[in-house]
Amino acid sequence: MTVTGSEAPTQLDVAALLPDGAHLIGGEWVPAHGGETIEVCNPATQEVLGRIPRGTAADVDDAVKAAADAFPAWRDTSPGVRAQLLYRFADVCRAHAAELDLLECLEVGHPSWGPSRIADQLIYVAGMADKVTGHTLPTASPNMIGMTLREPYGVVGSIIPWNTPGPLMAADVAPAIAAGNTIVVKPAEDAPLTCLLLGKLALEAGIPPGVVNVVTGYGPEAGAALPLHPLVRRMSFTGSPETGTRVMEACARSLIPLHVELGGKSPQVVLRDADLDKAIPAIVRGITFNTGQVCAAGSRLVVDASLRAPLVEALAEAFSKVRMGPWHERVEMGPLISKKQQDRVLGYIEVGKEQGARLVTGGGKPSGAKFDKGFFVEPTIFDEVRPDMRIAQEEIFGPVLSVLTYEDEEEALAIANGTSYGLVSSIWTSDVGRAVRLARRIEAGQVGINTTWSGGVIGSPHGGYKRSGFGRVMHAETILEYTQLKSVVINGNP
Ligand code: NAI
Ligand code: MG
């Protein structure tokens, strides 16, 4: 069926949209060398949506070679033409915005957030393609000219997680190809379809074959081969710290740079003078959005002790009203992506209880026929959480909020900064002075004052402090991360 943005679509003919069991290498849809496939399921129903190739090192090799073949011509394409192609890619993504949204809903299980806004990401980056410049350099002699050039690396590898695959892939692909690199994307095996569709739309937009390649498969089989391939010159990884470490080790062996985004344990710091009516819905959304499967999820509530009891009560009430179910019903929260993630989140809930936190609401699988087949977990609040408990330290990646209290500003900061992560943080206050003080001292790549999210700000850099990773995406300088600096010296009097 055709999907339009005006209705609330629930069906998508995946087989009509994407070839079955094929990934995109050098502009061709091909099966894996081994011929094996992996089923992709709707996590709300376990209905099979389609099959993807179970790619291995041999498929990665084909894709990297295709990207390397496409590189010289793409590098030498005028940056203005690359920009134009990215604008066209944006147009095609806008024309398919409903399908991009729906496909991600189907494979990730989240409710619709409206037509995909990937086009906006592409437009933002397209405008930079022809503005990448070097410098002229001072010289000791008038006979010399010195300058720097910003050049692409060549083939870039990108490993994408399953939580919001479309926007995450666009965040890597757009600056990489705008700068003149070609790219091989390895999507997550749990939600690879949106990435395959984006690859298809890039081709449809006229981006030459081989510039954007998408190789599917399991992490240890396909993903692991990418940073080790001798023709890959730069990597980008988003996912767990464990896998990020493995990818970094591979990059070390290959002696290539990378950027990593490894999640967080983002604090929501609520000061005594906060406007709770505004804070409460944002705090609820901050941990239930995408069922808590967001690197930036506000998973720790760090609250003034005097506010704790009324705030926890109000949050419990709000959590009990979060509508949960298959994404196509009018719900705010879908299932988790997989049985593995459901077991992980339920495991953390057990750990919270064992370590003595007080379960306020949620804490299990919801009951009822419509939840039977999906990987659902109730929105959950733990109160009386101590900073050293595992549910206060480790990324759960589910709808589980840990409530910690403080007595004064110093303690609030110590708790907020007291994990190995440092991705996002929020401060809820009406006191500008305290907001400024805390914003300066919080160790996080992003600080929101009276907001949980940088949404609405164009070009807000996204990335971590500490073990949340390094490198920044989605901002004006991201394109420079996909370039290397060359110094050229001209001697006018040899
Ligand atoms: P993961 O980090 O293992 O998977 C992310 C990507 O890495 C996938 O494409 C996967 O196929 C690939 N991969 C896995 N092993 C690999 C290897 N040895 N070499 C190269 N690539 C490999 O994450 P997973 O297992 O799906 O989720 C576990 C936890 O990771 C989550 O509960 C969450 O805490 C965290 N995570 C964080 C994300 C974020 O946005 N920061 C996204 C996804 C997961
Ligand atoms: Mg894994």
Side-chain angles (χ1 to χ4, degrees):
M1 72 175 270
T2 329
V3 175
T4 66
S6 54
E7 57 202 49
T10 60
Q11 296 292 317
L12 188 69
D13 188 350
V14 177
L17 210 55
L18 289 170
D20 190 44
H23 48 196
L24 184 61
I25 296 179
E28 305 287 334
W29 294 94
V30 292
H33 272 271
E36 286 185 60
T37 57
I38 302 168
E39 285 184 344
V40 181
C41 291
N42 174 339
T45 60
Q46 295 195 47
E47 164 208 359
V48 176
L49 298 170
R51 298 177 311 152
I52 53 159
R54 179 174 173 178
T56 60
D59 302 276
V60 167
D61 183 50
D62 288 349
V64 172
K65 284 181 175 150
D69 286 347
F71 173 64
W74 184 245
R75 172 196 59 203
D76 295 340
T77 298
S78 157
V81 173
R82 290 202 299 263
Q84 228 167 1
L85 286 167
L86 275 163
Y87 284 123
R88 216 187 287 166
F89 189 13
D91 284 343
V92 173
C93 286
R94 205 182 297 291
H96 292 272
E99 281 153 313
L100 282 166
D101 170 53
L102 194 44
L103 193 56
E104 200 177 88
C105 289
L106 275 169
E107 62 177 345
V108 180
H110 64 65
S112 172
W113 302 322
S116 161
R117 292 205 293 265
I118 286 173
D120 297 342
Q121 288 178 268
L122 298 174
I123 286 169
Y124 178 69
V125 177
M128 295 169 197
D130 58 356
K131 293 166 196 73
V132 174
T133 57
H135 290 110
T136 54
L137 306 171
T139 55
S141 147
N143 292 321
M144 308 285 287
I145 290 179
M147 64 183 120
T148 58
L149 307 178
R150 288 251 173 212
E151 297 189 332
Y153 281 96
V155 180
V156 169
S158 158
I159 297 175
I160 303 289
W162 40 261
N163 50 338
T164 49
L168 289 173
M169 171 164 159
D172 282 356
V173 167
I177 70 171
N181 302 280
T182 56
I183 192 164
V184 176
V185 175
K186 208 302 278 176
E189 55 276 23
D190 288 315
L193 302 175
T194 313
C195 294
L196 288 166
L197 179 56
L198 273 177
K200 177 180 160 179
L201 299 181
L203 267 185
E204 221 173 286
I207 292 172
V211 172
V212 180
N213 306 276
V214 185
V215 179
T216 58
Y218 293 116
E221 295 177 1
L226 198 48
L228 290 175
H229 196 290
L231 291 176
V232 170
R233 296 288 150 79
R234 191 193 190 279
M235 280 297 300
S236 150
F237 175 80
T238 308
S240 64
E242 296 74 24
T243 304
T245 303
R246 267 185 222 117
V247 172
M248 272 188 79
E249 284 166 354
C251 287
R253 250 174 280 154
S254 298
L255 289 170
I256 57 171
L258 83 165
H259 88 248
V260 287
E261 203 269 79
L262 306 174
K265 194 70 190 174
S266 299
Q268 302 264 2
V269 183
V270 180
L271 304 188
R272 193 174 299 192
D273 51 35
D275 181 341
L276 294 185
D277 291 341
K278 301 249 169 66
I280 287 166
I283 292 166
V284 175
R285 190 165 163 77
I287 190 65
T288 57
F289 183 75
N290 207 13
T291 321
Q293 302 168 118
V294 185
C295 52
S299 52
R300 291 184 299 146
L301 183 70
V302 182
V303 59
D304 187 291
S306 69
L307 288 182
R308 181 185 64 87
L311 184 54
V312 169
E313 193 179 319
L315 285 170
E317 159 105 32
F319 270 50
S320 70
K321 290 187 183 141
V322 172
R323 282 170 304 183
M324 195 179 6
W327 66 271
H328 56 267
E329 294 181 8
R330 298 221 166 270
V331 297
E332 283 108 24
M333 205 178 96
L336 294 161
I337 186 79
S338 62
K339 175 81 168 53
K340 177 187 131 180
Q341 288 304 113
Q342 187 189 37
D343 289 344
R344 173 187 167 106
V345 174
L346 292 172
Y348 271 110
I349 290 171
E350 284 316 303
V351 167
K353 290 189 220 162
E354 278 160 24
Q355 292 196 318
R358 183 172 71 86
L359 181 66
V360 177
T361 185
K365 297 186 213 174
S367 52
K370 77 170 167 186
F371 300 117
D372 281 355
K373 291 230 171 98
F375 308 114
F376 292 93
V377 172
E378 294 168 317
T380 298
I381 301 176
F382 275 109
D383 193 9
E384 296 167 32
V385 176
R386 287 193 320 272
D388 63 340
M389 289 180 181
R390 286 183 58 198
I391 60 167
Q393 289 292 330
E394 297 172 23
E395 185 179 52
I396 297 174
F397 231 54
V400 182
L401 182 68
S402 296
V403 181
L404 301 105
T405 53
Y406 66 83
E407 296 294 336
D408 58 28
E409 201 175 299
E410 283 306 313
E411 194 184 5
L413 257 176
I415 293 172
N417 288 339
T419 76
S420 62
Y421 289 107
L423 194 60
V424 175
S425 58
S426 294
I427 300 160
W428 296 91
T429 181
S430 43
D431 180 330
V432 176
R434 297 178 86 190
V436 169
R437 236 176 7 247
L438 288 169
R440 292 273 190 190
R441 292 183 61 196
I442 280 197
E443 295 169 338
Q446 289 127 284
V447 183
I449 309 294
N450 295 328
T451 178
T452 50
W453 200 247
S454 59
V457 176
I458 296 169
S460 168
H462 176 70
Y465 273 32
K466 301 196 285 187
R467 296 202 177 156
S468 287
F470 45 82
R472 294 292 178 271
V473 295
M474 301 178 194
H475 77 129
E477 284 161 32
T478 298
I479 191 167
L480 300 183
E481 298 201 20
Y482 288 94
T483 64
Q484 46 194 346
L485 201 57
K486 176 182 278 177
S487 171
V488 177
V489 177
I490 306 171
N491 184 354
N493 187 19

